[in-house]
Amino acid sequence: MRKVLPILIILFIVSGCGLFKSAPLPSMTAKSDDTEIPTVLVSYLWGAKTQYGSPWEVIQSKPAVTVPKGATINLVFDSEPEEVTANEILSEEDFKKINVKDKKIIAPETKGDHIIFVYSTWANDRTAEYALKIHVNE
């Protein structure tokens, strides 16, 4: 016990000084041709930090950015994730899987507003979830 206490004290001091800080939360941007599509960080599990949110609730009231049907949308991260998946949110409880290839998705062919939810994972079980809203024109 006498040897453990000094080690614990040193660990508390070192961790309090910030030597074991977690990497910053990554950001994601979306772009179609020259059009920037705003994204919102909805929820994450990042080290000791967590935040939970609903993409439907977070992005529902945001304005949509117009893109042509079938447009390629590039998902750009400031820290490369190990895996990226995406879904179109159809309602609060219903969604449809979207194919992601090379961090690119294709805008739906259906005219109207579409909410897209992007789920990304990094090493050490870190996750971040983003939402974006597009309007597909004819």
Side-chain angles (χ1 to χ4, degrees):
M1 181 69 172
R2 289 183 182 188
K3 292 179 183 180
V4 174
L5 188 58
I7 292 171
L8 287 175
I9 292 171
I10 290 171
L11 284 175
F12 285 125
I13 292 170
V14 169
S15 65
C17 293
L19 294 178
F20 294 120
K21 283 187 179 177
S22 177
L25 277 165
S27 65
M28 183 191 86
T29 56
K31 204 172 203 182
S32 177
D33 292 328
D34 291 331
T35 304
E36 181 92 18
I37 303 167
T39 62
V40 177
L41 177 63
V42 176
S43 44
Y44 56 84
L45 174 56
W46 203 259
K49 299 179 186 177
T50 58
Q51 172 181 311
Y52 298 102
S54 159
W56 179 264
E57 292 172 4
V58 170
I59 204 89
Q60 183 76 23
S61 63
K62 305 279 185 197
V65 173
T66 300
V67 299
K69 64 182 177 178
T72 298
I73 299 171
N74 296 303
L75 307 173
V76 181
F77 297 85
D78 64 355
S79 170
E80 287 304 310
E82 293 178 348
E83 185 177 3
V84 178
T85 60
N87 292 295
E88 179 179 357
I89 307 298
L90 305 172
S91 70
E92 286 184 71
E93 300 162 359
D94 197 19
F95 62 91
K96 178 173 76 174
K97 185 171 176 57
I98 297 175
N99 289 329
V100 178
K101 185 174 181 178
D102 298 325
K103 296 182 199 78
K104 294 179 171 115
I105 59 175
I106 304 299
E109 295 287 327
T110 309
K111 182 180 177 183
D113 287 351
H114 300 272
I115 295 172
I116 298 175
F117 176 62
V118 178
Y119 180 81
S120 309
T121 59
W122 285 262
N124 301 322
D125 296 323
R126 294 176 176 173
T127 63
E129 302 162 1
Y130 307 88
L132 58 106
K133 188 175 184 181
I134 57 173
H135 177 82
V136 173
N137 61 14
E138 291 185 76

